[in-house]
Amino acid sequence: MCGIVGYVGPRQSVPILMEGLERLEYRGYDSAGVAYIQDSNIRVEKQKGKLQVLQDALDTVEISSTVGIGHTRWATHGAPDQTNAHPHTDCEGNLALAHNGIIENYSNLKKDLIEKGHSFRSQTDTEVLAHLIEEYRGDMLEESVAEALKHVVGAYGVAVISREEPEKIVVARSGSPIVVGIGEGEYFVGSDTAALVKYTREVFYLEDGQIAVITADEARTFDVQLESEVESDKHTIPFDLQRIEKGGYPHFMLKEIHEQPTTLRDAMRGRLLPEDANVRLGGITDVLEEIENADQIYLTACGTSWHAALIGEYLIEEFVRTPVEVEYASEFRYRNPIITPKTVLIAISQSGETADTLAAVREAQAHGALCLGVCNVVGSTISRETTAGVYIHAGPEIGVASTKAFTSQVTVLTLLTVLLGRRNGLNRANGERIVHELSNLPQKAEQILADPEAIEAIAKEFSDRPNFLYLGRRYNYPVALEGALKLKEISYIHAEGYPAAEMKHGPIALIDDDMPVVFIATKDKSYDKVQSNMEEVRARNGRIIAIATEGDEEIRELADHVIYIPETESFLIPILASIPLQLLAYYIAVERGCNVDQPRNLAKSVTVE
């Protein structure tokens, strides 16, 4: 959610901090600030609203500083205003701190600190940590930070500077990501590699329970109690600056929708084996037998990734015949799930940092389950903490509403299904058929994206409607859920996704001539049933938008508008059918004047519970 940046080196720090914060805007924020050391003092500038407001304020002062930290805040404790914006300082202004996460015991800590004479300015949990560091001041800043963190319960990624030690930044992490970028005679700090990639592609990641002391000359990592130094593995950021720029598109979301032919190819690159009618997934080779012998598979995720998991459940149960349960990660560890050493848990997360999904992984591991990750971000926490896994290779996804990551997740789950299925009874002929059709998906996605004008026209007609209903059956029910979520996220229109047959069990009461109903009505074994559901909507004057199979003229008799997609296997329809629904949501949001890439109240990566 929130974003952290930091810099120490020979250059002017504030322009680097501001550029890093701009790269993190996609994560969602409501205020921003920087703290820097100048003339042996800490100076702080923070503002409510967009980064430009902060930049305007910075433009009014003379700045010369080579050490600083910055932050974009997404409010949890305290209103989104200037006072509650980060960075926060201690009573004397000796130190400044930026923090991602939640200090769960902040209320008790704050009460105790007030009794000891500390004076608080904000309503945030973060300010407590600044005063704790002040309270437990040691000989060195890292000692003060380490001692303060002993008293903290909760999640944190922190970056701290002190005017008494102006040559260093101290960072620490427990549950909220921190990455350190390595330069020549300089170091960079970020909560996301996107903040660093302009300046360096060589990084290392802090693990939970670690603290790093960073100067222009070196970065040393320790356990959080400073009892032993730790060797950190270096990684290379797998994308360059061009991948996180708009490339001529008006919004990142539209760019990422149009990238899907490429990202589908990348998800399958080197993994399809047509000659063997099979698939290769090198990241899980060592645990394939364990997966194959599982009694049960859990798929756990949040949001859009949960919809991908639902499709994964249908795929694995149909072709592998292993029982699968799909769990909201936020509920999984609180409901005492049945986990045995023959349980496999697959955690799906675009960022690889989703707090609830990571907690589900740790809960399953504590009970002896094999945990796998399906992630996009290389080096992310889930990818590091799971035993094995598969990257989706979608590249950086900047738009808050996930698009290309969703279709890549479903593609990877399909690849996993083929691999397991071929080891468990899926014959060669069916394997050849599926592998062949998978290889054709990028070209079919290109066909859909080649002619968006009809979708844009539909969006103009219905952009003023207060409610939408999305309906589908079998594999297309999760597509209905995902289509509704996209519309809600970026246009702020209330929308619900349902299994088409469930319409009669309640939602049908809502249908009138002001209610657009989106049907995923492609040619498969449930086609006739979906047509019947469409007849029921027509009888109540509902306005029907149908996603249909190319060449299906019959559907025009039932729908007000038809959006065609190329024919494919029924279990691959979600990959293609989701694309026009993404475009529909996008064009409706644009028509309504919404901030497509940074929808209100949302963050790209939810790193707190």
Side-chain angles (χ1 to χ4, degrees):
M1 292 196 294
C2 306
I4 288 176
V5 296
Y7 175 77
V8 55
R11 300 193 237 187
Q12 290 297 306
S13 64
V14 172
I16 295 172
L17 299 178
M18 289 300 294
E19 189 159 37
L21 292 178
E22 184 179 353
R23 301 290 179 197
L24 296 181
E25 281 192 293
Y26 76 96
R27 294 167 67 96
Y29 70 106
D30 46 52
S31 59
V34 295
Y36 54 93
I37 297 174
Q38 180 169 316
D39 300 329
S40 300
N41 287 305
I42 287 181
R43 299 187 180 183
V44 177
E45 184 64 57
K46 50 188 184 177
Q47 297 289 334
K48 177 184 177 181
K50 294 300 181 183
L51 280 173
Q52 188 57 52
V53 181
L54 176 60
Q55 185 63 62
D56 291 343
L58 290 168
D59 288 342
T60 65
V61 296
E62 291 290 333
I63 300 173
S64 179
S65 170
T66 59
V67 179
I69 56 175
H71 190 268
T72 49
R73 177 178 186 251
W74 192 85
T76 55
H77 297 69
D81 58 27
Q82 185 177 21
T83 302
N84 290 326
H86 298 212
H88 289 286
T89 59
D90 62 348
C91 292
E92 302 298 327
N94 288 321
L95 64 90
L97 174 146
H99 164 238
N100 292 349
I102 291 178
I103 308 298
E104 295 175 8
N105 62 333
Y106 88 99
S107 183
N108 290 334
L109 291 173
K110 184 174 183 177
K111 180 180 179 182
D112 182 57
L113 287 163
I114 289 172
E115 289 176 354
K116 292 178 178 178
H118 290 262
S119 177
F120 285 78
R121 306 174 186 88
S122 77
Q123 291 79 51
T124 68
D125 55 328
T126 297
E127 192 184 355
V128 166
L129 189 50
H131 290 280
L132 272 178
I133 296 170
E134 179 183 33
E135 180 68 22
Y136 295 106
R137 183 179 299 173
D139 292 334
M140 295 185 291
L141 178 61
E142 57 266 32
E143 293 176 353
S144 307
V145 173
E147 184 61 33
L149 291 176
K150 290 180 182 179
H151 302 270
V152 167
V153 176
Y156 56 80
V158 296
V160 190
I161 57 174
S162 169
R163 69 182 183 89
E164 296 173 343
E165 298 175 72
E167 77 289 350
K168 71 173 63 168
I169 301 174
V170 174
V171 295
R173 177 235 165 105
S174 178
S176 193
I178 292 288
V179 58
V180 178
I182 304 165
E184 294 185 9
E186 59 185 354
Y187 282 85
F188 308 84
V189 172
S191 50
D192 187 314
T193 53
L196 315 179
V197 70
K198 178 178 178 179
Y199 297 100
T200 181
R201 294 180 67 181
E202 188 177 14
V203 301
F204 69 86
Y205 298 89
L206 244 61
E207 303 288 350
D208 274 356
Q210 290 184 348
I211 189 169
V213 182
I214 305 168
T215 67
D217 298 321
E218 64 177 355
R220 301 176 66 191
T221 306
F222 304 86
D223 68 275
V224 78
Q225 303 307 325
L226 301 176
E227 294 174 352
S228 59
E229 189 165 355
V230 179
E231 187 71 26
S232 297
D233 295 331
K234 295 178 182 178
H235 300 265
T236 300
I237 299 174
F239 58 88
D240 58 21
L241 188 62
Q242 185 177 355
R243 294 294 299 274
I244 56 172
E245 295 182 335
K246 291 180 183 176
Y249 287 92
H251 298 95
F252 281 111
M253 183 180 179
L254 186 61
K255 177 193 176 191
E256 289 157 7
I257 291 171
H258 280 269
E259 285 178 340
Q260 286 174 111
T262 299
T263 55
L264 291 174
R265 289 188 183 96
D266 290 345
M268 295 184 281
R269 192 181 307 278
R271 292 169 169 175
L272 295 180
L273 303 175
E275 66 279 6
D276 298 324
N278 209 336
V279 163
R280 177 198 296 116
L281 294 174
I284 61 171
T285 299
D286 293 342
V287 295
L288 259 179
E289 187 173 342
E290 199 171 344
I291 302 170
E292 186 180 9
N293 293 327
D295 287 339
Q296 183 180 36
I297 295 173
Y298 283 110
L299 298 175
T300 190
C302 301
T304 284
S305 297
W306 188 82
H307 298 155
L310 282 177
I311 297 167
E313 176 188 24
Y314 294 2
L315 285 164
I316 294 170
E317 290 196 340
E318 179 170 349
F319 293 103
V320 186
R321 307 306 295 164
T322 298
V324 179
E325 292 287 340
V326 175
E327 295 276 355
Y328 279 114
S330 56
E331 293 293 322
F332 180 76
R333 70 189 181 111
Y334 294 111
R335 71 165 194 82
N336 195 22
I338 298 172
I339 302 173
T340 74
K342 295 193 75 174
T343 297
V344 171
L345 180 136
I346 302 175
I348 306 171
S349 168
Q350 186 281 135
S351 68
E353 302 291 351
T354 310
D356 288 316
T357 308
L358 181 58
V361 168
R362 291 169 175 166
E363 177 72 11
Q365 287 173 328
H367 288 82
L370 170 67
C371 291
L372 312 176
V374 174
C375 298
N376 188 32
V377 179
V378 176
S380 58
T381 304
I382 290 174
S383 69
R384 297 198 310 274
E385 291 201 11
T386 47
T387 302
V390 184
Y391 285 117
I392 66 173
H393 296 310
E397 189 176 64
I398 305 301
V400 167
S402 181
T403 52
K404 63 179 182 175
F406 172 74
T407 52
S408 293
Q409 287 168 345
V410 176
T411 300
V412 163
L413 290 170
T414 307
L415 296 176
L416 176 62
T417 298
V418 174
L419 179 59
L420 295 176
R422 290 289 279 128
R423 296 168 66 94
N424 197 42
L426 180 66
N427 62 38
R428 182 180 179 89
N430 283 324
E432 286 177 346
R433 175 174 56 87
I434 297 170
V435 168
H436 175 74
E437 191 54 34
L438 278 166
S439 68
N440 288 331
L441 285 179
Q443 180 182 353
K444 293 181 177 182
E446 287 172 348
Q447 288 179 241
I448 297 169
L449 292 164
D451 185 23
E453 287 78 12
I455 300 172
E456 191 170 3
I458 294 169
K460 289 180 184 296
E461 181 176 344
F462 292 104
S463 63
D464 62 343
R465 303 303 167 91
N467 301 285
F468 271 68
L469 190 61
Y470 288 70
L471 301 173
R473 286 178 179 255
R474 299 177 68 241
Y475 285 100
N476 293 328
Y477 160 51
V479 179
L481 292 173
E482 176 61 11
L485 178 61
K486 285 289 136 319
L487 189 67
K488 283 185 281 194
E489 284 180 313
I490 63 171
S491 75
Y492 318 139
I493 293 173
H494 174 253
E496 296 296 336
Y498 273 88
E502 289 298 304
M503 175 187 65
K504 297 188 291 292
H505 296 275
I508 198 169
L510 299 172
I511 294 173
D512 57 21
D513 57 9
D514 199 41
M515 170 71 84
V517 183
V518 181
F519 277 93
I520 298 91
T522 49
K523 286 284 185 73
D524 60 17
K525 66 173 63 176
S526 63
Y527 178 69
D528 292 342
K529 299 291 187 184
V530 172
Q531 282 186 311
S532 296
N533 298 138
M534 293 173 74
E535 292 279 14
E536 292 167 332
V537 171
R538 275 172 55 87
R540 290 156 180 82
N541 298 318
R543 302 295 303 281
I544 296 176
I545 302 165
I547 307 296
T549 304
E550 197 171 47
D552 180 5
E553 294 300 322
E554 184 180 351
I555 204 76
R556 289 189 179 278
E557 299 177 8
L558 297 173
D560 297 278
H561 299 277
V562 180
I563 303 168
Y564 287 110
I565 64 171
E567 185 176 3
T568 189
E569 297 286 344
S570 62
F571 50 85
L572 297 179
I573 288 171
I575 296 171
L576 297 182
S578 62
I579 296 173
L581 298 183
Q582 294 166 358
L583 287 169
L584 181 64
Y586 171 80
Y587 286 122
I588 288 175
V590 170
E591 189 69 19
R592 291 167 63 88
C594 299
N595 189 336
V596 172
D597 287 334
Q598 298 169 38
R600 68 187 183 203
N601 303 331
L602 291 180
K604 180 64 179 174
S605 176
V606 182
T607 57
V608 296
E609 290 189 62

